[in-house]
Amino acid sequence: MQIGPHALPSPVVLAPMAGVTDRPFRILCRKLGAGLAASEMLTADTRLWTTSKSRWRMNHEGEPEPRVVQLAGADPQALAEAARLNVELGAQIIDLNMGCPAKKVCGRLCGSALLSDEPLVARILEAVVRAVHVPVTLKIRTGWDREHRNGVNIARIAECCGVAALAVHGRTRADFYAGSAEYETIRDIKMHVRIPVFANGDIGDGKKAREVLDFTGADGVMIGRASHGAPWIFRAVNARLRDEFATPALLRSEVRDIILAHLDSVYCFYGEETGVRIARKHLGWYCGQLLGEPAAVRRNLMGAVNTAAQFAQALKHFDEWVGEAAVAA
Ligand SMILES: Cc1cc2nc3c(=O)[nH]c(=O)nc-3n(C[C@H](O)[C@H](O)[C@H](O)COP(=O)(O)O)c2cc1C
């Protein structure tokens, strides 16, 4: 799998998720086998880049290459300028968000709402591709509603404008997250363009990844929600796609160490107050995935008010879990 000059180590990539795919989570997923990990979306409105949220989102220190910055916006010139500035700051791939179902982001029409205006999509893509010397990728849904699945048109426009790769979530904007993802439109898109296509939506294990790749002919898969509390999913899906059935399961002690190191990196990145809040979200997911969510354990983990107490609770409960059995995932 190749995006511009970048050969990806794996065709299984992490989906951009606002509030989830921060620098600590991206580094973790890359370490565990994700071929690429885009940042949370960053608004193209540079006036908002001084907020702490944007500054965290723009921080890529220590991240493995290629560094991908996802931009959201609707104005071609603003997006082009935002792309140029991010490349100056070290972005090696610019990803454009036309997949987010929110009607407005930062008060402006953007995300998948743009799919209903194909000429505007073309103007945005032309402007951004022209503005930077790095590959520009695009993330879309299959269309804006089930009567208007124009994903193939958008993909052709993208290819004509010089977009280097496409990720397609198998739902329309109107679907939001309801129902199941469909892969027929992704297959149609793949048949009509030559640029690499990532299939996205409801891929939760290696078997499903294999089925989706076989059905769509896509070049890779993008995984979002299934990575919550399970960043090791990339390791497992890679093994399945390579038919490496002998890949040993992770030991519980290894999983515990991954979780504790993740907490530590969240604390270092965000500091005490925000760190404890962000880590709580991930701990909730780890707890749900691994500990079966016993109420008392959940209360202890979720109720800790500072990083030291939270880390101590996590250490205690995951140590107990390691003591129960050896093999985890
Ligand atoms: C919490 C959350 C935040 C998301 N934020 C973004 C985003 O910032 N940019 C984007 O393109 N898609 C965003 N998405 C959509 C995902 O990238 C992905 O397309 C979607 O979750 C479907 O994939 P999945 O079924 O593997 O989760 C978000 C999804 C979730 C669940």
Side-chain angles (χ1 to χ4, degrees):
M1 166 69 87
Q2 187 86 21
I3 300 184
H6 307 291
L8 306 190
S10 154
V12 186
V13 303
L14 174 65
M17 288 177 283
V20 183
T21 54
D22 54 12
R23 194 189 74 183
F25 195 68
R26 293 196 300 273
I27 291 179
L28 178 58
C29 291
R30 288 294 306 269
K31 240 186 230 163
L32 289 165
L36 205 62
S39 70
E40 307 167 82
M41 65 180 162
L42 176 71
T43 171
D45 186 344
T46 54
R47 288 169 306 180
L48 300 174
W49 287 3
T50 51
T51 64
S52 48
K53 188 164 143 183
S54 288
R55 274 188 283 117
W56 278 319
R57 288 188 178 189
M58 292 172 78
N59 185 327
H60 294 268
E61 278 162 41
E63 204 171 326
E65 299 189 354
R67 291 180 292 272
V68 191
V69 170
Q70 190 188 59
L71 295 175
D75 178 65
Q77 289 324 311
L79 278 161
E81 181 61 6
R84 205 181 53 71
L85 291 170
N86 273 281
V87 171
E88 262 175 27
L89 292 171
Q92 294 166 307
I93 294 177
I94 295 291
D95 184 49
L96 294 172
N97 177 350
M98 296 191 190
C100 175
K103 209 177 272 170
K104 290 183 172 177
V105 177
C106 303
R108 299 285 307 269
L109 188 77
C110 65
S112 53
L114 293 171
L115 299 177
S116 61
D117 189 343
E118 293 178 10
L120 176 58
V121 169
R123 287 205 305 281
I124 288 173
L125 299 179
E126 275 165 9
V128 176
V129 169
R130 206 177 318 121
V132 293
H133 63 273
V134 303
V136 175
T137 58
L138 177 65
K139 177 145 178 295
I140 62 171
R141 288 187 168 224
T142 52
W144 74 92
D145 63 27
R146 292 185 184 191
E147 282 67 53
H148 301 92
R149 283 201 173 108
N150 62 335
V152 171
N153 284 356
I154 298 282
R156 281 183 166 143
I157 291 169
E159 184 168 48
C160 282
C161 292
V163 162
L166 198 62
V168 189
H169 177 187
R171 288 186 176 84
T172 68
R173 173 174 173 258
D175 290 334
F176 202 66
Y177 285 95
S180 306
E182 57 89 10
Y183 306 107
E184 283 81 3
T185 310
I186 302 180
R187 184 184 54 184
D188 285 352
I189 288 172
K190 176 61 198 166
M191 280 191 305
H192 285 89
V193 293
R194 284 178 303 274
I195 54 177
V197 173
F198 292 95
N200 169 238
D202 299 350
I203 298 170
D205 57 31
K207 182 170 170 285
K208 181 74 180 267
R210 178 79 274 157
E211 285 165 10
V212 171
L213 284 174
D214 288 347
F215 181 77
T216 60
D219 305 272
V221 290
M222 176 176 269
I223 293 179
R225 288 164 296 172
S227 68
H228 296 177
W232 37 81
I233 188 172
F234 297 98
R235 179 183 183 273
V237 174
N238 281 334
R240 175 67 182 80
L241 293 184
R242 292 175 190 145
D243 290 331
E244 290 169 1
F245 295 101
T247 298
L250 286 174
L251 297 173
R252 283 193 174 193
S253 57
E254 292 172 314
V255 169
R256 175 203 54 202
D257 294 348
I258 290 169
I259 294 170
L260 295 176
H262 184 194
L263 292 183
D264 212 32
S265 64
V266 168
Y267 302 153
C268 287
F269 188 65
Y270 290 106
E272 176 67 32
E273 204 177 311
T274 307
V276 81
R277 191 167 50 75
I278 302 280
R280 195 173 287 138
K281 174 165 48 186
H282 291 281
L283 269 176
W285 286 327
Y286 286 128
C287 182
Q289 291 277 348
L290 302 169
L291 305 182
E293 306 205 57
V297 172
R298 205 178 162 81
R299 238 188 344 266
N300 289 344
L301 284 171
M302 296 299 118
V305 292
N306 57 47
T307 55
Q310 191 181 54
F311 190 87
Q313 284 297 332
L315 182 61
K316 172 177 179 299
H317 291 298
F318 286 102
D319 259 349
E320 283 168 9
W321 175 74
V322 169
E324 289 163 14
V327 172

